[in-house]
Amino acid sequence: MEIPFTVSERPDTGLTNPKFGIWLFLASEVMLFGSLFSSYIILRTGSLDWPVQSDELNITIGAVNTAILIASSLTMVLSWTALKEKQFKRFKLFIGLTILFAVLFLVLKIWLEYIPKIHHGHILSTNTFFAMYYLMTGLHALHILGGVVVMIFFWGPGSKMWQTNPDQFVNRIEVVGLYWHFVDLVWIFLFPTLYLL
Amino acid sequence: MTNAEYSRQSFWRQYIFSVDHKVIGLQYGLTALSFLLLGFMLMVLMRWQLAFPGEVIPWLTFVVIFILLGLAIVFLAGKKRPYLALNSLIFFGIAALIWYFTTGEERLPGGIMLPEFYNQLGTMHGTIMVFLGVVPLAVGAFGNYILPLQIGAPDMAFPRMNMVSYWVYFIGGVLMIISFFLPGGAAQSGWTSYSPLADINTGQTMWLVAMLFVIISSLLGAINFIVTTVQLRVEGMTWFRLPFFVWTQLITAFLLLLAFPSLQIGAIMQLLDRVAGSSFFIPAGIIQGGKVLEYSGGGNPLLWQHLFWFLAHPEVYVLILPAIGIITEVVTNNTRKPLWGYPAMVYSLFFIGFMSFLVYAHHMFITGMGTAVTTWFQTTTLIISIPSIIFLAVIVFTLWGGSIRFTTPMLFALAWVPMFGIGGLTGLPLGLAPPDIHLHDTYYVIGHFHYIVAPGSIIAFFAGIYYWFPKICGKKLNDNLGKVHFWGTIIGMNLTFAPMLVQGMAGVSRRLYDGGLGYDHAQPVLFLNEWMTWGAWIIGIFQIFFILNIVLTLRKKSRSEENPWDATTLEWATTSPPIAHGNFITEPFVYHGPYEYNVSVNGQNVPYLPQHKKMDIED
Amino acid sequence: MENEYLNGYHRMNTSDYGYWLPKGASTFAPEIDTTLYLVHILMVIMFVVWGIFFIMFLVQFRSGNEKKVVHSGYPKVIVPISMIAFVVIFDMYMLFGHDIPFWNHLKKDFPDAEKSTVVRIVAQQFAWNVHYPGQDGKFGRSRPELVDEKINPIGLDFDDPYAKDDITTVGQLRIPVEKPVIIHLTSKDVIHSFSLPVMRVKQDVIPGMSIPIWFEPTRTGNWQIACAQLCGNSHYNMKGIFKVQNQEDFAAWMAIQEAELPQDDEEVW
Ligand code: HEA
Ligand code: HEA
Ligand code: CUA
Ligand SMILES: [Cu+2]
């Protein structure tokens, strides 16, 4: 007996198992980042000497990174629609672009932000603001990294499934897309919270 | 994959890295029971110290008892059933662990317990019992094994993820045990791990790492349970035909999914405080041993408590809701009539699930919260007790008009009702801020929740094990041994936990290494410490009947009937044990609600009408 | 073992203790006890009423007791519903009649500092440092860097004029009877919990915060300060002496303490 609704949708819920699963996972992630933002608010409002954040961080890089992530969201959608239209080559192109953007984001984050800051001696033990900064952006960067690994898999070896089981492959890309949009959304909140406010 | 193909798989695939929910359920069950036994053992060491503070612990007796138990199992298992003998490893393991404890100057020099070791034992007892014992048993074992069967599913929705969650849990458990062997020993800041104590005490790092594994395992499991329940219900299994046990598992999974992330963040932050020198939970100017500690400061110790209790209050409902589910199944089956007020139960469940996120700060009344916050949390706490009262009312009034069979599982289920009653009722004075001033952090709190988790949850799991054992192994546990186990456990538990309420009233603090010996106000109730210790021994001794019962039953040749309890739910629609792959030979179709006992069909009384039998019920 | 614990502690008011609540000794002890009694009455009523139904049903409907199984639950739904309604009403009475107003009284109605004994307590692993403001009624500044476990456990800054007359004791809290007390609680290291069972006082002591509490003792006696929050190895032994004395005794003790203070020109450090 096979497990039903792994590929097709269950009529009364209108969902496949993986899609429902990823929604639940994202619900849990909302609580995760929700707790993180609440902690940030509590620590910041309780602090007597919170630094002026925009002086400590590089807004330009933050803004560029925001643009990069938004662009990657777009290419992610395009890669999925390409698959829907059965244009496998275009799918490869766009998911490749998404990977590229994501890697670019990480490179900017690490080489232009983390490393210079660490050189300046701004580390977790400097003050609570920097601890919170590294924690929030670091956790987010880990999410990006996870996404990159999964996307590289579907770009490379995983894409063989397109030949054997195209429906399931489209579903998988959709699930990856949902995750990716969520990670981007988190950054959209992180950027103003840490760089601007 | 056909059934035959399935059984040709390698040993590893079949028994160790299996993706079959039944095997995983059993793995969870055995691991969790072992952890319960370990948690119990740690606690017996503590209780000895509390009853006889500063005296030599008869650790050699403990070691001998456990070796004898292990040998008994090897002997009983016999040559023909070497797999049973494997279980004796648990007992040898615990014996070895106790032996190890006695060999450290930093633990039991000369057999006398040190305060730091007492604190380690308490912390690990709480952690192991809650996170590695009861939750994996309630959700991982019972949920995994029974839930797919009750909804007619071939397996869980994500079988491989199911396997991963077991192994991640297993690693977390192993790390937790390993922490005893590290320099400085295991965590010793209480299972609540309040910062800044937990930030500066030894042993906490490993606890946090292990907890992160446990958390990830629970999150994966929770997703799996929800998707399975919603997506894999067989045709005809509408929402209001779900057995109540499935409902409890569904809501429990939501609690795990949404509550655990806050502890995840908290654990990461505390870990960073410890290893990266940040100070999320540490305010400026902390002084230890006359020196100002080098932290940047600016942290907030109360933030940890918020993050912890935001998880830990929903978590306590995770401990009890599956138990309520099991009790409901057993009680309706043995009263031989439908559950009275099924919809009321379901709505109460939803309500409790939702409310459990809004009451958490009742653990923090004494931290100096403002009046508005306190008013809110006392009110919500009283509100959340109403659904529990409805549960008990429904279960009690379901008995009315039935034809009650006093089988062993039913005895456990019935005893659960007043025991949970006591545990829940003692929650009320704690839930009101002014009485909580006197009772907070006293043994009254310990008594409150032990009445809920020990004669509550654990008793419910016993009921579940006796009830579903024929399903899992095709054999029924011995009734007489079961009844001896029942009475011994109930008497022992009351002897252990009732005096705690008395001590708490008198104002005796919890987590006291000397059991209150040094405090004036503890003197009149000090003798109860000995009673409680004997109570714990009684509990322990009567578990031997349980273990023997299992081993002896597995040795028996004769099998029980396929449906020995004349039950109606779907797990009994397949063979016992269910076929290895896919559970059901032909996919069942559901025609009725879950508890159609003694209904009339064509003018005749049908003693029980399984959910998958097509018949028209008359009113 | 035994002696080690008893040494130095005066067991005088042991008659205050028993199997139930310790005898109260503060003005608001009766109110806390009332809420405790009320809720326990409710609990007993519930347990007994539900218990009676429970036992009754078990006996009446045991199998073999030849009776037809009845389907629609208890015939009078009104019975369980009214039981639950009773609980709800009782709950509301306790909440709005007692607990919420009392908590507000406790947290908001602080006595006038002029007319009360004001004390500061600095908890540490594993002792209670008590800090009296002295004649001038003002606490001297304290600074973490100045802490010296032997001679200056709370790090008083003696350059501060207010600090000159301050009196500190380790683990000894004495207060006069029938006069409100305000205590400012803070901690040097981890979280402790300041607990006086007879006064029905308990308050977590949190590093980085100063939390004020108040109470008014109604009778004299010798008791103990207990620590109620796990704070490390010797948490179990973190006791203090707590004496409520009549005005004269207290004043006499205070005078001795003041006499022992170092004079201005004396070099103490
Ligand atoms: C499974 C676990 C579980 C459950 C279900 C509960 C249920 C409840 N708990 Fe408990 N609680 C804990 C586990 C649990 N608790 C733990 C582990 C702690 C301590 C943590 C620590 O500090 O280490 C704790 C601590 C705790 C505190 C903090 C105390 C303190 O530290 O000062 C409070 C305060 O409000 C509280 C309240 C409640 C309430 C109001 C309920 C309510 O939900 C209860 C509702 C139930 C009823 C009201 C029963 C109804 C009874 C009847 C209808 C009578 C039936 C009788 C017969 C049939 C004979 N609990
Ligand atoms: C689910 C949770 C749970 C459970 C079940 C228990 C069970 C028990 N607990 Fe515990 N306890 C806690 C959670 C739990 N506890 C927590 C959270 C704390 C607070 C810790 C802290 O302060 O930080 C605590 C603290 C605590 C203390 C207070 C310590 C202190 O404050 O200093 C005491 C003291 O007596 C105690 C005693 C007991 C006893 C006698 C049992 C007995 O009921 C045990 C009964 C055990 C069994 C019945 C298991 C039997 C095993 C089997 C049947 C397995 C068979 C095995 C195979 C087949 C392989 N516990
Ligand atoms: Cu200080 Cu416990
Ligand atoms: Cu709670």
Side-chain angles (χ1 to χ4, degrees), chain B residues 44-110:
Chain B
V44 171
L45 287 175
M46 286 162 73
R47 280 249 54 105
W48 194 275
Q49 159 68 21
L50 292 175
F52 312 106
E55 287 176 30
V56 175
I57 305 227
W59 54 272
L60 203 59
T61 322
F62 292 76
V63 173
V64 170
I65 291 176
F66 272 80
I67 291 180
L68 286 181
L69 275 175
L71 286 177
I73 291 180
V74 176
F75 176 72
L76 285 172
K79 277 201 208 96
K80 284 202 191 126
R81 290 176 190 76
Y83 60 90
L84 269 184
L86 268 180
N87 295 347
S88 62
L89 285 181
I90 296 162
F91 295 88
F92 293 138
I94 294 182
L97 197 63
I98 296 174
W99 189 293
Y100 171 76
F101 285 161
T102 58
T103 59
E105 284 300 303
E106 68 277 19
R107 288 181 293 269
L108 293 162

Side-chain angles (χ1 to χ4, degrees), chain B residues 186-265:
Chain B
Q188 43 180 285
S189 314
W191 82 292
T192 48
S193 292
Y194 279 6
S195 279
L197 181 66
D199 278 323
I200 55 186
N201 244 353
T202 52
Q204 188 71 13
T205 307
M206 197 59 157
W207 188 89
L208 290 166
V209 174
M211 278 309 291
L212 283 172
F213 277 90
V214 174
I215 292 169
I216 289 169
S217 155
S218 292
L219 290 178
L220 294 180
I223 294 176
N224 219 337
F225 277 87
I226 299 173
V227 175
T228 306
T229 318
V230 175
Q231 294 281 93
L232 301 195
R233 280 168 297 128
V234 85
E235 246 182 287
M237 182 62 92
T238 55
W239 288 109
F240 277 85
R241 283 181 187 166
L242 283 179
F244 190 65
F245 176 76
V246 177
W247 273 115
T248 56
Q249 288 286 341
L250 180 66
I251 301 294
T252 303
F254 268 107
L255 294 184
L256 288 173
L257 185 77
L258 301 179
F260 252 131
S262 84
L263 184 63
Q264 202 176 355
I265 283 295

Side-chain angles (χ1 to χ4, degrees), chain C residues 124 126 128 191-193 227-232 235-236 238:
Chain C
Q124 76 174 79
F126 300 93
W128 303 99
I191 300 181
H192 302 267
S193 192
C227 177
Q229 183 65 264
L230 179 66
C231 52
H235 156 65
Y236 75 100
M238 186 167 160

Side-chain angles (χ1 to χ4, degrees), chain A residues 1 3-5 10 13 15-17 20-21 24-25 28 31-32 35-36 42-43 124-128 131-132 135, chain B residues 156 158-159 223 226-227 230-233 257-258 261-262 264-265 269 277-278 280 296-298 300 310 582 584:
Chain A
M1 235 196 255
I3 293 160
F5 311 118
R10 185 183 163 110
T13 59
L15 289 166
T16 62
N17 296 346
F20 190 23
L24 292 171
F25 175 71
S28 156
M31 296 305 282
L32 186 82
S35 316
L36 199 53
I42 290 178
L43 287 176
L124 277 126
S125 54
T126 307
N127 59 30
T128 314
M132 212 62 213
L135 174 59
Chain B
M156 296 290 271
F158 307 112
I223 294 176
I226 299 173
V227 175
V230 175
Q231 294 281 93
L232 301 195
R233 280 168 297 128
L257 185 77
L258 301 179
S262 84
Q264 202 176 355
I265 283 295
M269 284 161 81
S278 59
F280 292 111
S296 64
N300 183 345
F310 187 82
F584 298 90

Side-chain angles (χ1 to χ4, degrees), chain C residues 158 160-161 163-165 261-268:
Chain C
F158 285 87
D160 181 7
K164 295 255 186 322
D165 61 348
L261 276 179
Q263 298 307 308
D264 262 354
D265 43 353
E266 236 176 313
E267 190 56 57
V268 277

Side-chain angles (χ1 to χ4, degrees), chain B residues 115 286-288 290 337 340 366 371 374 396 400-401 404 434 437-438 440-441 444 505 511 518 520-521 598, chain C residues 11 17 40 57 61 63 69-71 73 99 103-104 108 125 149 188-189 202-204 224 228 235 239:
Chain B
I286 294 261
I287 302 161
Q288 226 192 1
K337 68 181 271 267
W340 175 75
I366 310 299
T371 49
T374 308
V396 169
W400 192 88
I404 302 166
I437 294 178
H438 184 65
H440 175 72
D441 265 338
Y444 197 90
M505 240 345 164
R511 294 162 166 173
D520 288 352
H521 56 260
N598 282 307
Chain C
R11 302 226 146 144
Y17 305 120
H40 277 85
F57 294 167
F61 298 104
S63 70
V69 170
V70 187
H71 258 228
D99 295 281
W103 193 263
N104 286 354
K108 294 246 169 87
Q125 289 175 329
E149 291 303 339
K188 269 158 75 173
D189 37 42
K202 190 177 286 153
Q203 171 62 53
D204 279 3
Q224 284 168 326
H235 156 65
K239 317 189 211 355

Side-chain angles (χ1 to χ4, degrees), chain A residues 88-147:
Chain A
F88 187 64
K89 282 239 175 63
R90 245 186 50 179
F91 155 75
K92 277 229 166 181
L93 170 71
F94 280 118
I95 196 134
L97 273 178
T98 316
I99 296 168
L100 208 69
F101 283 137
V103 172
L104 192 63
F105 174 91
L106 286 178
V107 168
L108 287 183
K109 185 97 224 145
I110 293 169
W111 263 267
L112 294 183
E113 293 207 79
Y114 286 167
I115 291 183
K117 281 205 183 63
I118 292 168
H119 272 294
H120 276 90
H122 291 321
I123 50 175
L124 277 126
S125 54
T126 307
N127 59 30
T128 314
F129 162 67
F130 275 109
M132 212 62 213
Y133 164 78
Y134 282 112
L135 174 59
M136 293 173 98
T137 56
L139 209 58
H140 177 257
L142 278 182
H143 278 78
I144 299 264
L145 194 67

